[in-house]
Amino acid sequence: MNAPDRNLVTEVERAKSRAAAATLQPARHEDLRLVTGLGKYTADWNLPNQAYGYVIRSDRAHARIRGIDLHAVRGAQGVLAVITSDDVLAFGAKTLPTGAPLAGKGNQPINTAGMPILARDKVLFAGQPIAMVIAVSARAAQDAAELAQIDYDELPAVVSPEQALAAGAEKLHEHVPGNLALDFEAGDAAAVAAAFENARFITRHRIESQRLVGAPMELRSALVDYDSTADRYQVFTPTQGMIGMRSTLAAVSGVAIERIEVVAQDVGGSFGLRGGPASEHVLLMVAAQKLKRPVKWTASRSELFIGEWHGRALVLDGELALDGEGNILAIRFTDTVDLGAFTCYWGAFIGSRNISVTMGGVYRVPALYMSSKLVYTNTVPVSAYRGAGRPDIAFAIETLVDTAAAQHGFDPIALRRRNFIPKDAFPYKTANGTTYDCGEFEGVLNKALALANYDGFMARRIEAARRGKLRGIGVACYLEASGGGGAPKDQVSCRWDRDGRVSLFGVTGPSGQGHETSFAQIVADGLGLPLADVRYRASDPKEDLVGNGTGGSRSLYGAGSAFKVMVQRVLDRALPLAAHALGATVGDVTFDRGVFTAGDRQVSLSELARRVAVAGPHPLDCDGDSISGVTYPNGCHIAELEIDRETGVTELVNYSAVDDLGNVISRQLVIGQVHGGVMQGVGQAFGEHAVYDTETGQLLTGSFMDYVMPRAGWIQRIQWDDHPVPTKLNALGAKGVGESGCSGSLPAISNAMLNALRPLGVRQFDMPFTPARVWALLRSS
Amino acid sequence: MMKVTINVNGKPHDAEVEPRTLLVDLLRDHLGLTGTHVGCDTSQCGCCTVHLDGQAIKSCSILAVQAEGSEVLTIEGLAGATGSATQPSEHVDFTTGHRVPAMSALHPVQQAFSACHGLQCGYCTPGMIMATVDLLKRHPDPSEEQIREGLAGNLCRCTGYVNIIEAVRVAARQMRSVA
C-alpha cells in the first residue's frame, strides 16, 4: 500500500494519544466501571421472585390468524401465564406510535397503520409478536412457547415496494389502497421542470440505501416491577432518554405517566433504535400487574433481527440540471421508501421531511423538488438508524454531483467549488425554505483535500495499477440538519454537597457518547473546579426535569447549552455569597478560574461552597435550561480504496475527514464519534444488508452468521481535523457530531468505488460492495 | 440438575445447574458476575469472552458442566487487588454511591482501553479486553495482522475499532516495558 504522506495533524493526534496512555489517564468518567465489568446494563438487573417472559412470534410474513391454541403452553411446566391480545386490550394499551402527522400531495394526510402490541386477526411480518409466555425461568418460558399452535391462513407476501405498488398487489391494511401510506412532495415542481427545460446538461443517478439492522451490541431487554399498593410500575430498560421513554410508554400502555418510573444506568448502544418502547415493554407491564411480581425479558440476537426496527430502506432517484458553465440549475428527487409493515416511530418522517429539508446539500440551487412514495411491505417496520435519512440524502446528492462531473467532463472538485453556498451568503435560505445559519464549505473542502493529499492521487493510482489494483478516490461534502428535539426545552440541574463537590443531572440518555465526561467538563471549565469534583448522572427520577433524549446528534449542544446557562446561574448565586465572605461589595469581586478575588483577599468556589453549605438544599443548587433548535453540521470526507481485480476484495487504504461541528468540547470524544459513524457507513458500504426472500418474506440474513457486521481493521486509520464555524443558535456554539460519520462516509465511499470502476465503463453499482458482488461486476465489465 | 465445581477469579464455587446451562449463564445468573455480557446467539460477537484455564474462550459456546474443575478468569477478576495505603484501589462515586476502581489498580489492557478511548457504550469491552489479554500473551508485540486476527471474533458497534487497535498496541508497549 502506498499511503499518502503522513499528515502533521494526524501525527500530533497520535502523539497525544500515546502520551495520554503513557500517563494512564482515563479518557472518560464512565470508563473505570465499564472496563472492570461493573457497568450495569438492563439484563444485569435482577429482582427477587422475578418471572421471565418469552415472545411467541409469527413465522409467516402475511397471514390471517384462524386460531391460536395456547392450551399446551398454559399447561407446561413452570408456566405462570400467557399474555394474549385480549389481555393487552383489556389493559387499555394502544398501538405503538406512528410518528408526527404528515401530509402529502394535495394536502392528503398520511394513511398511518399503527403496530398493535400483539397481532390479533392478521400477521403482517415474520417476527410480529402474537403472545408472551411468562414462566419461572427463561428456559421454561421458551420451552413452553414451542407448544403454541397457531393456525394460519397464508396470504401472498408483498416484500418489496415494487411488489407492493404493483397493480393488484395484496393489500396489507384494508384502509390503505395500493399499500401507499403517503405520496409526499416538497419544493416547486413547476420551477424545477422549467429549469430542466433550459438545462445544458442533465444527469440522473439513483442510489439504493439498502435495508440495515441497527444491532446495538446490548441485547434489548426490559424488567418491570409492579407495586400493587401504590399502583406504580418500575421499568428497567435501555433508553435514549427518560422523558421520551416514559411518556411514550404511558401513551402506549394507557397507564398514567406518574405511575411509571424508568430506570437505566448503562445502555449498550442505541443508534436510534432504543428511543421508545416496543411491544415487550407493555407486555411486561401487563404481566407484572397480573402476576404481582417482577417480570424480565431479554431478547436473543436472532430474535432482534426480526423483532426490532430496521433502518434505511430508501431508493432515491436524483436528477441534476446544469448550465453550460456547470452552474446547478435544479435538483429533483423521486423516492421510494419502504416503511415495512406499519408506520412505526420515525419511519414516515425519515422518508419524507427529513430527506427533503437539506435536499440541496451545500449548494446554491435555485429550484428543488422531491416526491416520495412511502409504501407498506410485509417486512419488519423501519425507523431511525444513525442519521435517519440524513446520510441517505447526502449519499444521493453527492453521488449525483460526482456522476454529473464524470458524465459531462467537469472536474468534480471544481464543480463543487463553483456551486458552494459562499460564506458571505449566510444566513442562507434554500429553495425549499430551510435556513442554514452558517458554514464555510470551501474552507472545509480545502482542508480535507490537503489532509488526503488529493493532489498526489494520480501517482498513487498509477502505482496501484502496476500491482494490478484498481484505485479510486471519492470526495463528499455533506450537510445535515441536526435534531430540533420534541421537548419544549432542555433542562439540567446541579446539587452541591458539603465538600464542595457538585452532582449534575439531566435527562438525555447516554449510550456511549460520554455524557458523564463532556457535561462534567463544561461545568468544571465554567466554574474552575477540578474535574474530579464534578459528576454527571442521567435521569435521576427524583429530579423533575424536562428535555430531549439522545437523537439527531443533539445532546451535547442541547443539554450542554443548558449546563452552560446553569454555570452562569451558579456564579450569579455565588457572587453575593463570595462578597460577604470576603467582606467586600459585589461590585468589587471578580471571578477567574474558580477563584473569587476582592483586592488581596480570595476564596475559591469550592471553599465557598463548603462554607455556605447548610442542612437542606445547598444555596448554590440550581437549574439551567436552554432552547436549542436545529443546527447544520457539515463536512468533507474523502475515501480512497483499492480493488483487487482477482478476488473482488476492496481495501479502504485511506480515509480523511474534516468536519464543521461548531465548537468542540472534547476533541477525543468527537473523534470517537466520527470513527464510529464512519465505520457504520463502511459497514453499509462493504457488507451490511438485510435481505428478504422475495416470495416468502422470510429474512434471509437473520443472525450475525449471515448479516455482515464490520470487524476490526476494516479501516486502519482515519485522519480527522475540524474546521469550526461556531453557530449562534445555542449557548455552546456547537452543532453536533453523532451522525456526521455516516453522512460523510456513504457518499465518499460510493464515489471512490465508482471512481475506481468508471474506467471499466461502470456507471451504477449499489452497496454493499462485497467481494462476491465486486468480482461478479468485474467479470461482466 | 447437575453439580459443577469451578474456580472463578481464584474462588471455588459449587453450583447446581441444568445440563444445558451454558458457562456464560452460570457466570451471570448463578454467580452474579454480570461483567461478562451476551451479545448474540451464534458465537459471533465475543461479548462473553472469558479465560478458561488460561485461554480465551467464548463462554456461550461451552456448557457449564464442561468447565467442571477448571479455572475461569472473568473481567471482574482481571485487575486483582493492587491497592496500597497511598494508592487506594477504589473510591466511592459521590453522585451514584457506586464504588469505582482506581486507574492505577487496573490491568494494563484495561488502562489502555480507557486511555486510548477504545470504548464507548462499553458493552463489548469486557470481551474485547479478555480477548486482548490472550492475544498479547501469544503475541507480546503484535503486528497489525495479528491484532486484526486476534479481534476477528469480537464485534464492536460504537468505536470503529480504530482506537481499540491503538489500545492493543499501547497495552502491548506498556506490558513489554514492565516485563
Side-chain angles (χ1 to χ4, degrees):
Chain A
M1 158 178 141
N2 182 29
D5 297 339
R6 284 269 174 110
N7 186 283
L8 184 62
V9 174
T10 310
E11 279 306 310
V12 171
E13 294 296 339
R14 291 166 80 87
K16 270 191 202 157
S17 154
R18 291 203 182 97
T23 54
L24 304 175
Q25 293 306 309
R28 307 184 307 169
H29 278 166
E30 37 277 86
D31 285 355
L32 293 173
R33 67 171 186 272
L34 299 180
V35 298
T36 49
L38 297 172
K40 205 152 182 177
Y41 302 87
T42 299
D44 300 340
W45 294 91
N46 291 293
L47 295 172
N49 197 36
Q50 74 190 14
Y52 297 81
Y54 185 86
V55 182
I56 297 173
R57 296 175 187 277
S58 170
D59 57 6
R60 314 298 156 96
H62 198 185
R64 267 183 243 291
I65 300 176
R66 277 210 216 106
I68 302 173
D69 180 357
L70 299 169
H71 190 75
V73 182
R74 291 183 202 279
Q77 199 178 7
V79 170
L80 300 167
V82 183
I83 308 299
T84 65
S85 178
D86 286 341
D87 299 304
V88 169
L89 296 176
F91 191 79
K94 319 285 189 303
T95 67
L96 292 177
T98 55
L102 289 162
K105 287 179 183 167
N107 224 11
Q108 192 71 18
I110 184 169
N111 219 339
T112 57
M115 180 170 151
I117 302 303
L118 290 175
R120 190 173 178 85
D121 307 316
K122 209 177 169 190
V123 289
L124 291 177
F125 68 93
Q128 190 177 349
I130 294 174
M132 182 182 258
V133 185
I134 315 294
V136 293
S137 74
R139 298 274 175 255
Q142 185 173 2
D143 289 348
E146 297 287 326
L147 304 172
Q149 297 285 337
I150 297 160
D151 189 6
Y152 293 107
D153 186 4
E154 279 201 68
L155 297 164
V158 176
V159 183
S160 68
E162 294 71 39
Q163 288 173 328
L165 292 172
E170 188 73 25
K171 271 200 293 185
L172 271 78
H173 304 283
E174 271 313 307
H175 68 286
V176 184
N179 296 315
L180 183 65
L182 181 68
D183 195 358
F184 175 83
E185 68 174 350
D188 188 337
V192 168
F196 272 87
E197 286 288 313
N198 296 323
R200 171 80 176 81
F201 302 115
I202 291 175
T203 296
R204 190 165 171 192
H205 187 73
R206 178 189 61 79
I207 62 112
E208 179 176 350
S209 189
Q210 76 270 25
R211 181 182 280 257
L212 301 182
V213 173
M217 291 316 299
E218 181 184 12
L219 296 170
R220 196 164 196 150
S221 178
L223 167 63
V224 174
D225 192 18
Y226 176 67
D227 177 346
S228 56
T229 320
D231 190 20
R232 276 180 65 88
Y233 297 83
Q234 194 180 33
V235 181
F236 297 77
T237 178
T239 175
Q240 293 177 218
M242 297 316 200
I243 304 282
M245 178 59 81
R246 188 170 172 233
S247 59
T248 312
L249 199 48
V252 171
S253 66
V255 171
I257 192 163
E258 59 274 13
R259 298 188 176 190
I260 300 173
E261 180 193 338
V262 174
V263 185
Q265 183 186 310
D266 291 305
V267 178
S270 53
F271 313 117
L273 282 78
R274 306 270 160 98
S279 290
E280 292 83 2
H281 293 86
V282 178
L283 294 170
L284 294 174
M285 287 173 72
V286 175
Q289 193 243 25
K290 190 173 179 148
L291 296 170
K292 309 277 182 285
R293 63 194 275 188
V295 188
K296 182 176 180 176
W297 165 79
T298 303
S300 71
R301 178 61 65 184
S302 306
E303 187 177 7
L304 288 183
F305 268 83
I306 51 167
E308 193 166 47
W309 326 134
H310 288 176
R312 309 274 190 255
L314 309 151
V315 176
L316 311 181
D317 200 340
E319 295 164 279
L320 181 78
L322 294 173
D323 70 11
E325 275 86 55
N327 296 305
I328 299 176
L329 302 175
I331 294 178
R332 177 163 56 203
F333 281 107
T334 311
D335 311 327
T336 311
V337 177
D338 185 353
L339 292 174
F342 297 97
T343 21
C344 236
Y345 285 98
W346 300 98
F349 174 77
I350 292 165
S352 55
R353 276 206 42 82
N354 224 24
I355 51 174
S356 71
V357 287
T358 58
M359 64 172 284
V362 290
Y363 307 110
R364 194 157 46 175
V365 187
L368 294 166
Y369 179 71
M370 171 179 283
S371 68
S372 196
K373 282 186 165 41
L374 279 62
V375 184
Y376 293 114
T377 61
N378 291 119
T379 59
V380 170
V382 175
S383 183
Y385 170 66
R386 204 165 192 166
R390 299 174 185 91
D392 316 88
I393 189 66
F395 180 12
I397 298 161
E398 282 301 280
T399 50
L400 183 60
V401 168
D402 242 35
T403 304
Q407 190 179 344
H408 302 299
F410 293 102
D411 174 78
I413 304 301
L415 186 64
R416 287 184 168 87
R417 283 190 204 284
R418 169 178 282 274
N419 286 287
F420 278 147
I421 299 162
K423 68 176 178 186
D424 55 12
F426 292 97
Y428 175 83
K429 192 171 183 184
T430 69
N432 60 353
T434 307
T435 301
Y436 305 157
D437 65 311
C438 63
E440 286 179 19
F441 307 139
E442 187 142 22
V444 170
L445 172 72
N446 289 339
K447 222 181 231 188
L449 293 174
L451 198 59
N453 187 8
Y454 186 82
D455 290 342
F457 172 71
M458 280 316 291
R460 298 196 291 277
R461 170 176 267 187
I462 291 163
E463 188 279 330
R466 272 191 226 118
R467 290 182 280 114
K469 304 279 176 96
L470 293 166
R471 190 157 175 137
I473 193 164
V475 175
C477 300
Y478 75 90
L479 172 142
E480 55 188 12
S482 66
K489 60 182 174 180
D490 289 299
Q491 198 178 28
V492 299
S493 67
C494 67
R495 298 281 159 112
W496 294 76
D497 72 10
R498 296 181 152 274
D499 296 319
R501 300 175 302 191
V502 60
S503 299
L504 311 177
F505 300 94
V507 296
T508 179
S511 46
Q513 295 89 341
H515 292 175
E516 291 174 39
T517 304
S518 46
F519 293 152
Q521 192 177 325
I522 290 167
V523 174
D525 287 353
L527 296 179
L529 296 173
L531 201 52
D533 287 351
V534 187
R535 281 284 181 272
Y536 172 76
R537 183 181 182 188
S539 318
D540 186 312
K542 291 187 287 297
E543 297 291 317
D544 191 19
L545 301 170
V546 300
N548 293 286
T550 52
S553 306
R554 72 178 316 288
S555 277
L556 190 273
Y557 73 76
S561 292
F563 276 120
K564 190 152 185 199
V565 170
M566 187 200 79
V567 161
Q568 193 51 52
R569 287 189 193 158
V570 169
L571 293 177
D572 290 347
R573 280 169 184 240
L575 186 65
L577 300 172
H580 183 259
L582 296 173
T585 60
V586 165
D588 294 333
V589 180
T590 58
F591 179 77
D592 182 39
R593 279 167 285 180
V595 178
F596 291 97
T597 305
D600 57 355
R601 283 153 297 153
Q602 291 193 320
V603 62
S604 72
L605 178 60
S606 301
E607 171 59 24
L608 184 71
R610 281 191 286 275
R611 279 198 220 164
V612 300
V614 289
H618 192 282
L620 296 181
D621 288 354
C622 66
D623 291 352
D625 49 53
S626 161
I627 297 172
S628 306
V630 176
T631 63
Y632 299 93
N634 59 86
C636 176
H637 287 210
I638 303 180
E640 198 166 335
L641 49 77
E642 283 187 2
I643 304 167
D644 187 317
R645 303 184 74 141
E646 300 301 316
T647 62
V649 170
T650 307
E651 193 188 350
L652 259 181
V653 291
N654 188 25
Y655 196 97
S656 309
V658 173
D659 295 301
D660 167 14
L661 311 166
N663 287 332
V664 164
I665 304 303
S666 164
R667 204 169 165 86
Q668 191 173 30
L669 297 194
V670 160
I671 292 173
Q673 286 293 308
V674 172
H675 285 180
V678 167
M679 188 55 112
Q680 288 186 335
V682 171
Q684 179 170 0
F686 293 108
E688 296 183 45
H689 191 187
V691 182
Y692 273 97
D693 181 273
T694 51
E695 287 208 355
T696 61
Q698 295 294 329
L699 184 64
L700 299 177
T701 51
S703 78
F704 284 155
M705 311 250 304
D706 329 280
Y707 185 88
V708 182
M709 289 280 280
R711 283 170 196 271
W714 277 30
I715 277 196
Q716 317 241 344
R717 73 204 173 93
I718 297 173
Q719 306 189 95
W720 185 80
D721 201 355
D722 69 340
H723 185 85
V725 182
T727 176
K728 294 191 174 64
L729 298 174
N730 60 62
L732 281 182
K735 296 179 176 179
V737 62
E739 293 155 312
S740 62
C742 284
S743 294
S745 59
L746 292 182
I749 295 167
S750 184
N751 282 342
M753 202 69 189
L754 286 173
N755 178 260
L757 294 170
R758 244 183 226 112
L760 307 183
V762 176
R763 298 278 174 269
Q764 176 85 37
F765 187 33
D766 289 331
M767 293 174 176
F769 309 131
T770 59
R773 283 167 50 80
V774 173
W775 188 82
L777 181 85
L778 291 171
R779 299 288 287 181
S780 65
S781 297
Chain B
M1 297 296 271
M2 294 179 77
K3 196 175 159 215
V4 189
T5 304
I6 58 171
N7 206 308
V8 181
N9 301 331
K11 286 187 205 131
H13 289 276
D14 291 314
E16 289 270 323
V17 298
E18 277 191 75
R20 62 178 167 175
T21 303
L22 301 172
L23 176 59
V24 65
D25 295 331
L26 172 71
L27 295 172
R28 288 180 54 83
D29 299 342
H30 294 256
L31 307 184
L33 294 169
T34 54
T36 301
H37 300 150
V38 178
C40 75
D41 47 5
T42 50
S43 310
Q44 306 287 301
C45 79
C47 289
C48 66
T49 305
V50 301
H51 292 187
L52 181 73
D53 294 327
Q55 267 199 321
I57 57 137
K58 291 181 175 175
S59 59
C60 72
S61 61
I62 78 161
L63 297 167
V65 292
Q66 289 176 284
E68 169 69 29
S70 296
E71 295 275 343
V72 174
L73 180 68
T74 73
I75 189 72
E76 289 93 342
L78 182 62
T82 57
S84 66
T86 49
Q87 287 210 311
S89 62
E90 62 181 48
H91 71 272
V92 174
D93 183 300
F94 64 85
T95 300
T96 59
H98 299 153
R99 69 187 178 89
V100 181
M103 186 75 162
S104 58
L106 304 185
H107 187 280
V109 174
Q110 291 170 313
Q111 293 174 338
F113 266 71
S114 175
C116 299
H117 190 28
L119 66 144
Q120 289 181 27
C121 84
Y123 197 80
C124 74
T125 310
M128 282 282 178
I129 288 173
M130 297 309 283
T132 301
V133 171
D134 183 84
L135 165 69
L136 295 181
K137 233 188 264 175
R138 288 178 284 122
H139 305 291
D141 187 8
S143 66
E144 188 89 34
E145 193 56 37
Q146 285 165 336
I147 296 175
R148 216 195 250 233
E149 265 176 31
L151 298 181
N154 292 74
L155 296 178
C156 167
R157 196 54 153 166
C158 297
T159 66
Y161 305 96
V162 177
N163 288 350
I164 289 178
I165 292 171
E166 182 68 7
V168 174
R169 284 201 206 95
V170 166
R173 205 159 39 234
Q174 292 285 125
M175 289 167 74
R176 286 199 310 276
S177 73
V178 173

